[in-house]
Amino acid sequence: MSDLPKCSKCGSEYTYEDGNMYVCPECAHEWAKDEVPEDSEEDAVIKDSNGNVLNDGDTVTVIKDLKVKGSSSVVKVGTKVKNIRLVDGDHDIDCKIDGIGAMKLKSKFVKKV
């Protein structure tokens, strides 16, 4: 196993060395070997597609038709989602959508109401 650090931006474990830098092939983030990794947990702020900061309990609107994986259902543009919960991970919003049920959404596909 490699002893290289994970990417501080996206968490990828596929980083590699390039001279005196580390490079992430997934998000193209580069940082110096002697650079102290930032604690992304402390500064983790989740923003919507317009750059507004999201909080637990907010109401958001879907800005793009989203296919529901494993189903023929679609979450339509303009669907309001109330009382969201922010979670860690790729899909950073946990919510319930009327007619579909519990779902996880990416913050880049919603805007704050």
Side-chain angles (χ1 to χ4, degrees):
M1 280 263 173
S2 173
D3 60 338
L4 298 174
K6 291 185 178 182
C7 176
S8 61
K9 293 285 183 190
C10 69
S12 173
E13 58 188 38
Y14 301 112
T15 57
Y16 62 90
E17 293 179 71
D18 185 21
N20 63 345
M21 303 285 286
Y22 290 121
V23 180
C24 175
E26 292 186 17
C27 71
H29 176 62
E30 298 179 355
W31 67 100
K33 287 183 180 180
D34 59 348
E35 184 177 317
V36 178
E38 296 176 11
D39 227 0
S40 59
E41 298 284 328
E42 287 180 22
D43 301 329
V45 175
I46 299 175
K47 297 182 178 182
D48 69 359
S49 61
N50 295 332
N52 298 319
V53 176
L54 296 173
N55 298 308
D56 285 342
D58 282 347
T59 299
V60 295
T61 303
V62 177
I63 62 166
K64 176 183 174 185
D65 281 349
L66 302 172
K67 294 179 184 177
V68 178
K69 197 170 190 175
S71 172
S72 61
S73 301
V74 175
V75 179
K76 295 285 189 180
V77 171
T79 302
K80 276 192 177 180
V81 182
K82 298 177 183 177
N83 199 18
I84 64 170
R85 278 184 315 241
L86 303 178
V87 294
D88 291 333
D90 187 31
H91 292 72
D92 43 17
I93 297 175
D94 205 8
C95 62
K96 274 190 182 174
I97 298 178
D98 293 337
I100 295 177
M103 283 195 69
K104 291 188 176 236
L105 299 173
K106 291 186 178 185
S107 58
K108 67 182 180 181
F109 296 125
V110 300
K111 68 178 180 179
K112 192 172 183 177
V113 176

